[in-house]
Amino acid sequence: MQEASPDRTRVSPYIWLLVIITVAVSLILLLLALQEITSDTKDETLATYLLLAGAVLLGSAAYAMIQTRKRVFRAKIESHPIMTTIECKKCGFKSTREFQRGDYIFKESEKCQKCGNPTIIAAIYREVKEKEKERFTS
Amino acid sequence: MNPLITLSILQYSVAQFIPGGDWIIQLIFYLFFFIFILYGQKIQMYVMIREVQGSLYRLKYIRDEGRKITIETINEIGKPQSDPTPRVDRFLEYFTISPQSLDPAGIVWKLEHILNIRDARFKDEVKLMAPSADKTQARNLENTLEAAMALNYIYKIIRHFYLLGKKTLSLYVIMQLQMVLPLVMREAEAYASALKAFAYGQPIGDGAGALVAASLMHGHETRKLPEDCVVATVQMEGRTAFVIKAEGPGGNVGKPGDAIKTIIEENEGKIANIIMIDAALKLEGEPVGEVAEGVGAAIGGPGVDQFKIEEAILKHRIPINAVIIREDVGDAVSPMRKEIFDAVDKAIERIKQVILEKTKEGDKVIIAGIGNTIGIGQ
Ligand SMILES: [Zn+2]
């Protein structure tokens, strides 16, 4: 198969051709609509139809472009911030910071900021924001 | 049909401006019609091939990224004298042949033997690749390499069927590929985030069971059990609980089968109940971190450990209960979500409830937290 670097935008020539043709046709339609409106034998229904068809075609071309854009943009491995919570065994003081290599749950950590007693890592987790509330959850 | 509507409008409008333009448009109209009737399937097939190709690019990207992260991690913590790249590339092609199952009697032991050899080989390779990594880091590297191997394998399989489909132009080859692709992509994304978590040593969703056990045994004396497990004797509700988990915080699942068997034998079979805690795959629609309860040996993997546990409890007629924490494939191998972390307390409550209901005071119980203990100490 043909090799290509993933970061380069790869829009296939066929799609390009299709988009260009669609845009051209829609432009012609819009011009025709303009001509119809300005002409002496004004036919409003025809003008409306032409306008509508032109707009729909232009919209679909734009949509196709956005889709291909999106696919390229998606080519990244998702990563969420990982948080480490440190808790003091004596006073219960909790602090949260970003995960560092070497952290693990129940590892003894630096001295407590408040009372100077040893602390442990109580939690390491990733927070995910639900994009939408799912239906049928019960 | 967008083009057809457009065409009929075009027909109407062109007929107005060009005299005799009517029949041209009609010809185009019929041409379109016949093209779609005769070559509709072919067009559909090309669309499918393109779709698969897009996914394949993404798979290749994910695999290459995984390989890059692996090599960077080896360089960073292993401090090898020479460039580890060729060794990593060779390792990515490493395969395991599962034992012949024509005569399935005794296959578990054969499988275990093969897996032991594989494990030993992995350890040796990692030692050669990263000589200055400590035990925890070496285990994390093993896991990282395994994820990179899985990504490489997925990419190659999909590429194989993609090329085969293109070569044969068989709708059925391509269609099958296109049908399973969404699930395959999900799995690949999951492995990709697993790889990152392994490389950094972050706890993953699969470690939920191990985390429950770690919470129970934290602050108690632990001792090692055969095959990378630890046990702590904890007093719970007047019962003596032997809490077992894989030895952390390196990436490790241990061999809970051997560990449970050892504890049963040490107590001459006088165990009142076994409770296993594991992360389990949720169905779509079930909330992440839901805790559920049932019976049976809750343990995944190739089946060797489940077999051993079932053999041991059958011999002494020990009842076995399971508490599971629900999560999906992606959550299981990516850094632990807060919901799963919060489910630990609920799981402990459930365990206590089971102990109170199913055992008497003074009884001995085994509580085994199953799962990869990466990023979880004890
Ligand atoms: Zn404090």
Side-chain angles (χ1 to χ4, degrees):
Chain A
M1 65 172 287
Q2 62 272 60
E3 306 276 319
S5 67
D7 42 22
R8 213 183 56 207
T9 30
R10 272 182 321 271
V11 182
S12 104
Y14 301 108
I15 291 181
W16 268 119
L17 199 69
L18 211 73
V19 165
I20 288 168
I21 288 174
T22 318
V23 168
V25 170
S26 60
L27 282 181
I28 290 171
L29 285 174
L30 289 175
L31 273 178
L32 283 177
L34 198 71
Q35 203 176 2
E36 193 57 46
I37 290 166
T38 50
S39 74
D40 312 330
T41 54
K42 204 147 120 187
D43 185 345
E44 272 176 9
T45 30
L46 175 64
T48 320
Y49 274 131
L50 286 171
L51 212 66
L52 210 68
V56 165
L57 274 184
L58 210 61
S60 45
Y63 178 73
M65 282 323 291
I66 289 170
Q67 279 305 94
T68 40
R69 255 307 100 175
K70 211 189 233 167
R71 194 171 298 166
V72 172
F73 188 65
R74 238 173 36 130
K76 264 186 198 121
I77 298 177
E78 267 184 77
S79 63
H80 299 272
I82 314 288
M83 305 313 294
T84 298
T85 304
I86 299 164
E87 198 180 323
C88 173
K89 281 189 253 182
K90 272 269 167 58
C91 69
F93 177 73
K94 273 187 192 176
S95 61
T96 304
R97 59 162 168 83
E98 281 221 351
F99 177 88
Q100 289 164 6
R101 197 191 280 273
D103 280 0
Y104 62 85
I105 298 178
F106 297 131
K107 181 190 184 186
E108 287 188 8
S109 193
E110 59 258 39
K111 289 250 153 60
C112 174
Q113 294 168 17
K114 276 205 173 154
C115 66
N117 278 302
T119 60
I120 57 157
I121 293 176
I124 297 171
Y125 56 82
R126 158 179 73 113
E127 247 174 307
V128 183
K129 286 176 195 81
E130 288 293 340
K131 276 171 202 141
E132 53 182 306
K133 190 112 179 84
E134 268 185 68
R135 271 176 232 184
F136 308 114
T137 41
S138 59
Chain B
M1 283 304 276
N2 213 349
L4 287 189
I5 296 169
T6 320
L7 266 180
S8 42
I9 291 168
L10 208 63
Q11 179 177 11
Y12 184 49
S13 49
V14 169
Q16 302 250 314
F17 296 100
I18 312 162
D22 202 15
W23 66 272
I24 299 176
I25 299 296
Q26 221 153 44
L27 191 75
I28 295 174
F29 186 84
Y30 283 113
L31 218 63
F32 253 97
F33 194 66
F34 280 111
I35 286 174
F36 273 112
I37 281 191
L38 293 175
Y39 297 102
Q41 209 188 39
K42 271 252 153 77
I43 294 171
Q44 198 187 353
M45 198 155 75
Y46 280 113
V47 170
M48 276 188 199
I49 289 181
R50 290 218 74 82
E51 215 170 288
V52 174
Q53 197 185 37
S55 300
L56 197 57
Y57 272 124
R58 172 129 182 86
L59 278 178
K60 183 172 167 8
Y61 172 73
I62 292 177
R63 181 203 61 169
D64 291 344
E65 195 71 357
R67 175 175 167 274
K68 207 177 86 194
I69 294 175
T70 309
I71 293 169
E72 276 170 9
T73 312
I74 290 174
N75 278 327
E76 199 179 322
I77 60 179
K79 311 239 170 356
Q81 265 106 43
S82 55
D83 184 21
T85 310
R87 197 171 266 280
V88 170
D89 284 337
R90 214 175 63 208
F91 194 76
L92 288 183
E93 302 295 325
Y94 200 73
F95 60 86
T96 309
I97 301 168
S98 55
Q100 176 55 254
S101 59
L102 265 181
D103 179 11
I107 194 174
V108 174
W109 312 114
K110 291 181 202 164
L111 180 61
E112 190 192 14
H113 179 60
I114 298 279
L115 292 176
N116 283 346
I117 299 170
R118 180 175 186 266
D119 256 23
R121 180 74 196 267
F122 271 39
K123 284 205 164 74
D124 291 347
E125 285 284 337
V126 168
K127 199 165 264 172
L128 285 172
M129 279 180 210
S132 50
D134 62 26
K135 196 173 154 196
T136 302
Q137 287 168 336
R139 277 179 177 164
N140 292 352
L141 273 181
E142 271 172 50
N143 282 252
T144 312
L145 275 163
E146 216 154 326
M149 258 168 86
L151 286 175
N152 187 40
Y153 184 69
I154 293 174
Y155 168 67
K156 284 187 147 193
I157 291 283
I158 298 299
R159 183 182 63 181
H160 167 75
F161 282 107
Y162 164 76
L163 290 176
L164 199 67
K166 254 181 120 175
K167 220 180 242 174
T168 57
L169 276 187
S170 154
L171 184 66
Y172 298 98
V173 173
I174 297 160
M175 218 150 125
Q176 279 185 48
L177 186 57
Q178 196 234 9
M179 281 192 287
V180 296
L181 211 53
L183 299 176
V184 173
M185 290 310 286
R186 260 182 81 131
E187 206 165 319
E189 309 268 345
Y191 274 117
S193 64
L195 191 139
K196 273 192 167 174
F198 290 145
Y200 291 110
Q202 294 159 342
I204 58 172
D206 181 53
L211 182 58
V212 169
S215 307
L216 287 173
M217 68 168 62
H218 182 62
H220 293 80
E221 194 77 32
T222 60
R223 69 185 159 96
K224 287 189 186 190
L225 279 182
E227 292 318 310
D228 301 333
C229 284
V230 288
V231 65
T233 313
V234 181
Q235 295 301 321
M236 269 175 89
E237 317 285 336
R239 284 84 167 155
T240 305
F242 299 101
V243 185
I244 299 172
K245 75 182 270 289
E247 189 186 7
N252 172 29
V253 292
K255 284 192 177 169
D258 289 332
I260 290 176
K261 203 174 152 196
T262 311
I263 294 292
I264 291 175
E265 274 161 12
E266 278 176 8
N267 291 281
E268 288 144 354
K270 290 187 184 66
I271 297 289
N273 214 312
I274 298 178
I275 302 160
M276 297 184 75
I277 312 105
D278 195 7
L281 282 193
K282 78 180 183 78
L283 299 172
E284 282 300 320
E286 288 176 331
V288 179
E290 192 183 49
V291 177
E293 191 193 317
V295 292
I299 183 166
V304 174
D305 285 288
Q306 191 179 356
F307 181 87
K308 282 186 182 167
I309 294 167
E310 284 163 356
E311 282 256 303
I313 59 170
L314 181 67
K315 196 170 151 199
H316 301 283
R317 302 274 162 192
I318 302 168
I320 190 162
N321 289 282
V323 173
I324 56 160
I325 295 169
R326 293 210 162 111
E327 49 195 71
D328 73 24
V329 201
D331 296 331
V333 290
S334 42
M336 192 180 280
R337 278 174 70 158
K338 191 154 194 313
E339 291 91 330
I340 301 170
F341 190 87
D342 293 339
V344 167
D345 289 335
K346 280 184 268 171
I348 291 176
E349 276 313 305
R350 270 302 175 85
I351 293 167
K352 282 184 178 157
Q353 208 180 326
V354 172
I355 290 178
L356 283 173
E357 285 169 6
K358 305 284 173 203
T359 61
K360 300 188 298 288
E361 228 162 282
D363 276 349
K364 287 173 180 168
V365 293
I366 294 177
I367 299 172
I370 309 300
N372 194 326
T373 185
I374 186 161
I376 303 168
Q378 53 260 330

